[in-house]
Amino acid sequence: MSVMVSTRSPDTAAGLRPGGIRSGNHPWRIRLVSHARRRESAYFRAAKKTAKKILAELGEEDLPYGPRPSASEHWEMHHGGSLWVRTTSGWRLYRARVGIEWSMQFCADPARVDRLRRDAAELVAAFPFTLPALAALGYEEAEELLRTPITDADGVEAWTDSLFNACVPLSRGDHQGILPKVPGEHHYPWPVKSADYIRYDDFHLWVTLPDGTHGAVTPVDRRGSGDGHVRLVHVPEGSTAADTLARAQDHGEMAVLPPNSSAALQAFAAQIEPGRRTASGPLAPRARPRTRAAGRGRRAAGDP
């Protein structure tokens, strides 16, 4: 595949200027080994039980990363920094500066984890209904978790598996899915994956690249600008575009695909007339400027 590595200039509507074509390959290997079975701590069991009670109280429009899983599936709890608070209008989820994945606790400095505890305590203090509401749900350890300084591995473990870290509710796909079906947080960088919860329904963030790998692209200008270039923002290791994207980032440039590329045509497929050979031009009359609200919108037809 060919990718333009470009800097901004007045040459096009989006200020793109060709900066040459680069390609490369960056393979990697991982060895799989057996390890002891992960145990589920009492802290995590209590946190999950409470989170499920909270989710049962929420309407569809209030779910942080909805929609609610189907009957054949269930919520998966992601260790992503889940700061649940009770407001005057109900439960809300905020996310901590960082989340501590289960395996990350073994390299976590207690002093730095304690800073996360202090952040959480300050947030919860701003929502005085939170602790009484958690106690009413049976999560009476909340107050002790928030007020107890974290000084050792035991404290890190308790915090890692607590409601204030371990309970970001996600569907199985959004949690650990892999393209071409659905990208999960464990396999795709959050700055890219998070766009799934704010993008327009008719913009396809995830596309299939010419080498068969899957990447993420974004527009280079506002909706309705008529510019069909797309910026490549994520490709997997081993993709023929990986080296190009890395070099673009090193040089502070953008890796841009032209409007007639397969990636651009996929990205804007729901915004252009069928059969059009370029993504540039006016929006199709059928395109509606509808935002995919945070976790609640449908995936556009054809999305991975």
Side-chain angles (χ1 to χ4, degrees), residues 226-230 258-261 264-265 268 272 276-282:
D227 195 321
H229 288 83
V230 289
N260 63 349
S261 66
L265 292 172
F268 289 109
I272 62 177
R276 206 159 84 187
R277 296 184 179 181
T278 177
S280 288

Side-chain angles (χ1 to χ4, degrees), residues 6-77:
S6 306
T7 52
R8 297 183 69 85
S9 80
D11 292 353
T12 71
L16 302 175
R17 182 183 64 194
I21 297 175
R22 299 170 184 163
S23 62
N25 188 31
H26 188 63
W28 53 272
R29 294 169 185 253
I30 294 177
R31 174 173 292 174
L32 302 180
V33 299
S34 297
H35 62 83
R37 183 176 179 82
R38 171 178 167 179
R39 65 181 178 84
E40 190 173 90
S41 70
Y43 305 115
F44 192 33
R45 289 194 297 272
K48 286 198 302 179
K49 183 178 180 179
T50 304
K52 289 176 181 178
K53 290 180 180 178
I54 291 173
L55 291 166
E57 292 184 14
L58 295 177
E60 294 298 318
E61 291 301 309
D62 292 323
L63 294 171
Y65 297 109
R68 204 178 299 273
S70 64
S72 62
E73 298 181 340
H74 62 274
W75 289 113
E76 293 193 358
M77 296 300 165

Side-chain angles (χ1 to χ4, degrees), residues 56-201:
E57 292 184 14
L58 295 177
E60 294 298 318
E61 291 301 309
D62 292 323
L63 294 171
Y65 297 109
R68 204 178 299 273
S70 64
S72 62
E73 298 181 340
H74 62 274
W75 289 113
E76 293 193 358
M77 296 300 165
H78 173 47
H79 286 60
S82 49
L83 301 179
W84 286 100
V85 297
R86 178 80 181 193
T87 72
T88 55
S89 59
W91 292 101
R92 294 291 180 267
L93 174 67
Y94 293 89
R95 291 186 74 162
R97 279 188 304 113
V98 296
I100 306 172
E101 269 299 335
W102 182 84
S103 61
M104 295 300 176
Q105 66 179 292
F106 305 119
C107 69
D109 181 339
R112 292 180 175 179
V113 177
D114 191 61
R115 181 180 175 187
L116 299 178
R117 177 195 63 82
R118 296 196 307 271
D119 288 347
E122 186 172 352
L123 177 68
V124 170
F127 295 91
F129 298 123
T130 302
L131 291 178
L134 287 176
L137 293 179
Y139 197 66
E140 298 178 351
E141 52 266 68
E143 185 172 359
E144 183 177 356
L145 280 164
L146 291 170
R147 74 183 181 193
T148 303
I150 297 170
T151 59
D152 55 23
D154 287 343
V156 170
E157 179 187 11
W159 187 262
T160 297
D161 277 350
S162 75
L163 182 72
F164 302 114
N165 179 71
C167 292
V168 175
L170 298 173
S171 68
R172 183 172 182 81
D174 281 335
H175 187 200
Q176 51 186 311
I178 300 175
L179 290 168
K181 290 186 176 180
V182 60
E185 285 196 30
H186 276 279
H187 300 288
Y188 300 89
W190 177 243
V192 178
K193 169 61 186 174
S194 62
D196 257 335
Y197 303 113
I198 61 168
R199 63 177 172 81
Y200 284 108
D201 281 349

